[in-house]
Amino acid sequence: MSEWEPKITAFLCNWCSYGAADLAGIGRMQHTPAHRVIRVPCSGRISPKFILAAFRRGVDGIWVSG
Amino acid sequence: MMKGLLEYMGTEPGRLHFSWISSAESTKFVEVANTVAEEVKALGPAKHFIKEKAEVA
Amino acid sequence: MLEYVGKIRDIARRLLSENKVDVVIGFRQGTIPMMSEPAVVSRPEDVDELYWDYNCGINLTNYLTKRTDRIGVVAKGCDSRNIVTHIVENQIKREQLYIIGVPCHGMIDRSRILAALDGQEPTAVVVNDTEIVVTGPGFERKFNRQEYLQNNCATCIHRNPVVYDELVAEKVEEQKLDDRYADVKKIEAMSPDEKWAFFDKILAPCLRCYACRNACPLCYCPTCFVDESRPQWLGKSIDPTDVRTFHFLRAYHCAGRCTDCGACERACPVNIPVRLLTKKLNMDVEDLYGFEPGMVPDVRPPLDVYRPDDPGGFIK
């Protein structure tokens, strides 16, 4: 771990992006390990509170994907 | 709107990302995941909005 | 302005004695100058309590939330827009209300006048067409009325009520302004670090008294997010991060609903310009959705509905 890696909270929709992530895994695609995934039943559930709460706990970036 | 206000109050643009990916678009997922990570990496560690003191309930 | 007082009293007396309403909500003179306070009158013989002057900046819509009786309410331009918002959000029914519309000339900024007096105690304040004359023990000061208006009144473009059952006077001419959002744009031009430092400085004196929230007619949630403890979204301290989270979310909850009535700023005991945040959101709502809150009944605020043509430029 010589280089700094960001910590990114990823809010992924169960039906869309989470599925895409799953498919990417099945396809053994290489991608960044920076994301910490939180699966949500729907990205419409994301409230600004969640985003602020994540920032307050010190994440470097946030990615909301439906 | 939320992103607008965050940036207005001094959070760097590029810390918060939104995207829309179907469950069949694994290639797009990998692509966006990498872009997001790169952009955040370019900004460096977050300096703001972090609560330094321990949370007391 | 004083001619409004007689008219307001007449209307209130008529409404109460004809049993058209159960109560009339208006203003009465405060115990100290420049502090008119809300008054609820339920008997015709009490209507002489009611008053109107240049210090009625409190938003009376705040007192309507979830009431079930029939109410006569005195409303200036911004109050009437908040009444519309209340009707849209099912906090009150239009049939319950008899709106006494007051064309407004702008309210004066008490805190700036007190600051200019530098600790001298005013005992009487008289406002005429152009000047504010403040007198106290051993001094008399004059202020230009237009200059010492509340900032939101100086940039107001809806001085006349948008809904009313009766007006107390002829409508006033609306202001024509070049740029209502000049202060917001100035901040937007800064770099992220400058913005951060700017808001750190502005929010530093905040004591988390929640006066801005309580004065706001939009803030009627049974449990406010600051009081929630499971999960607890933010601490109750004056830690800068907590203060910032509070102000961020308070402003955000008003997005697309705020009428810029200035009640929050007026209520702040440490004079934080909290409107800088809500105004930014007002500007965005206007730019993105072409929407101004509280102008038309039956139109839900834009963040409340989905339309296929909603702007989505931020989505990858």
Side-chain angles (χ1 to χ4, degrees):
Chain A
M1 277 295 278
S2 54
E3 207 185 345
W4 174 77
E5 278 289 335
K7 280 197 188 103
I8 299 169
T9 306
F11 292 100
L12 304 185
C13 161
N14 184 24
W15 309 106
C16 308
S17 302
Y18 197 86
D22 200 15
L23 192 62
I26 291 168
R28 306 210 175 258
M29 295 166 138
Q30 291 279 327
H31 62 88
T32 165
H35 298 287
R36 311 293 190 272
V37 176
I38 296 176
R39 177 166 65 154
V40 286
C42 171
S43 45
R45 177 65 183 91
I46 304 299
S47 146
K49 290 174 189 170
F50 298 179
I51 295 174
L52 289 193
F55 273 131
R56 285 163 57 86
R57 283 175 177 72
V59 298
D60 302 307
I62 294 172
W63 176 27
V64 180
S65 188
Chain B
M1 292 280 297
M2 160 117 193
K3 194 167 153 66
L5 188 60
L6 266 175
E7 284 166 19
Y8 181 66
M9 284 181 84
T11 305
E12 302 91 334
R15 286 231 187 262
L16 178 58
H17 294 266
F18 294 90
S19 68
W20 204 349
I21 300 166
S22 139
S23 58
E25 298 175 312
S26 58
T27 30
K28 184 176 175 190
F29 176 85
V30 173
E31 215 174 275
V32 178
N34 286 332
T35 349
V36 170
E38 268 163 39
E39 277 187 39
V40 175
K41 202 169 171 178
L43 286 170
K47 296 172 289 222
H48 299 317
F49 239 121
I50 303 169
K51 173 109 187 215
E52 306 281 348
K53 289 181 202 146
E55 296 270 348
V56 197
Chain C
M1 198 49 96
L2 286 172
E3 68 270 13
Y4 286 8
V5 178
K7 198 77 200 287
I8 291 173
R9 287 176 185 167
D10 287 346
I11 297 173
R13 190 176 292 114
R14 197 188 73 225
L15 291 175
L16 287 168
S17 47
E18 288 174 7
N19 196 21
K20 287 256 176 60
V21 297
D22 300 316
V23 291
V24 172
I25 302 181
F27 282 94
R28 67 163 162 249
Q29 259 181 310
T31 46
I32 52 170
M34 297 191 283
M35 280 294 250
S36 295
E37 58 190 25
V40 180
V41 176
S42 55
R43 292 181 307 177
E45 55 267 34
D46 294 337
V47 294
D48 288 334
E49 256 184 47
L50 293 174
Y51 194 68
W52 188 267
D53 61 5
Y54 286 93
N55 303 297
C56 300
I58 293 171
N59 197 323
L60 291 179
T61 311
N62 214 4
Y63 300 90
L64 299 178
T65 313
K66 297 207 167 72
R67 284 189 78 118
T68 49
D69 45 356
R70 294 167 303 153
I71 309 154
V73 61
V74 179
K76 50 189 183 297
C78 44
D79 294 6
S80 74
R81 289 173 65 199
N82 275 107
I83 291 174
V84 171
T85 310
H86 253 51
I87 295 168
V88 170
E89 295 175 2
N90 300 322
Q91 295 305 309
I92 193 94
K93 290 198 186 76
R94 179 67 181 92
E95 305 81 77
Q96 279 171 265
L97 298 175
Y98 190 93
I99 302 167
I100 306 165
V102 179
C104 174
H105 295 270
M107 296 297 154
I108 57 175
D109 192 336
R110 174 176 175 270
S111 59
R112 267 196 298 153
I113 289 174
L114 287 184
L117 290 179
D118 207 16
Q120 288 171 300
E121 175 104 19
T123 50
V125 176
V126 182
V127 185
N128 58 36
D129 281 345
T130 52
E131 275 176 333
I132 306 163
V133 185
V134 184
T135 45
F139 74 92
E140 183 186 286
R141 292 277 300 273
K142 287 193 171 113
F143 298 93
N144 181 312
R145 198 185 91 195
Q146 195 59 32
E147 253 171 60
Y148 278 85
L149 280 185
Q150 276 186 186
N151 180 265
N152 66 303
C153 298
T155 59
C156 173
I157 53 164
H158 296 292
R159 292 185 149 184
N160 295 305
V162 293
V163 280
Y164 52 84
D165 293 295
E166 194 165 346
L167 280 179
V168 301
E170 288 292 304
K171 288 191 175 183
V172 294
E173 200 184 329
E174 297 288 2
Q175 301 190 103
K176 298 255 182 312
L177 297 160
D178 299 336
D179 191 1
R180 289 163 63 210
Y181 297 113
D183 42 356
V184 174
K185 284 177 183 150
K186 211 171 95 195
I187 298 171
E188 275 187 336
M190 297 181 189
S191 74
D193 281 342
E194 281 170 355
K195 288 175 185 167
W196 191 270
F198 177 81
F199 278 105
D200 258 356
K201 204 171 134 213
I202 278 186
L203 299 177
C206 179
L207 355 130
R208 296 287 295 280
C209 67
Y210 303 142
C212 46
R213 179 193 73 182
N214 292 350
C216 180
L218 302 173
C219 287
Y220 52 71
C221 292
T223 308
C224 179
F225 69 97
V226 293
D227 299 324
E228 281 177 345
S229 54
R230 268 188 205 183
Q232 187 179 13
W233 300 106
L234 70 165
K236 306 202 183 296
S237 64
I238 50 165
D239 176 276
T241 309
D242 286 335
V243 172
R244 196 178 272 257
T245 313
F246 164 63
H247 283 284
F248 184 98
L249 283 175
R250 189 197 77 80
Y252 193 74
H253 286 173
C254 304
R257 305 162 65 217
C258 173
T259 59
D260 205 23
C261 70
C264 46
E265 211 160 272
R266 186 185 178 87
C268 184
V270 288
N271 298 328
I272 297 174
V274 288
R275 274 179 47 252
L276 282 177
L277 300 172
T278 47
K279 232 178 137 184
K280 152 79 177 157
L281 292 166
N282 280 357
M283 186 177 94
D284 284 355
V285 167
E286 222 177 292
D287 286 352
L288 293 171
Y289 302 94
F291 180 82
E292 265 191 297
M295 296 307 291
V296 198
D298 345 303
V299 178
R300 312 263 334 158
L303 293 196
D304 216 57
V305 288
Y306 172 74
R307 269 180 287 148
D309 58 343
D310 276 348
F314 61 96
I315 298 174
K316 278 203 190 81

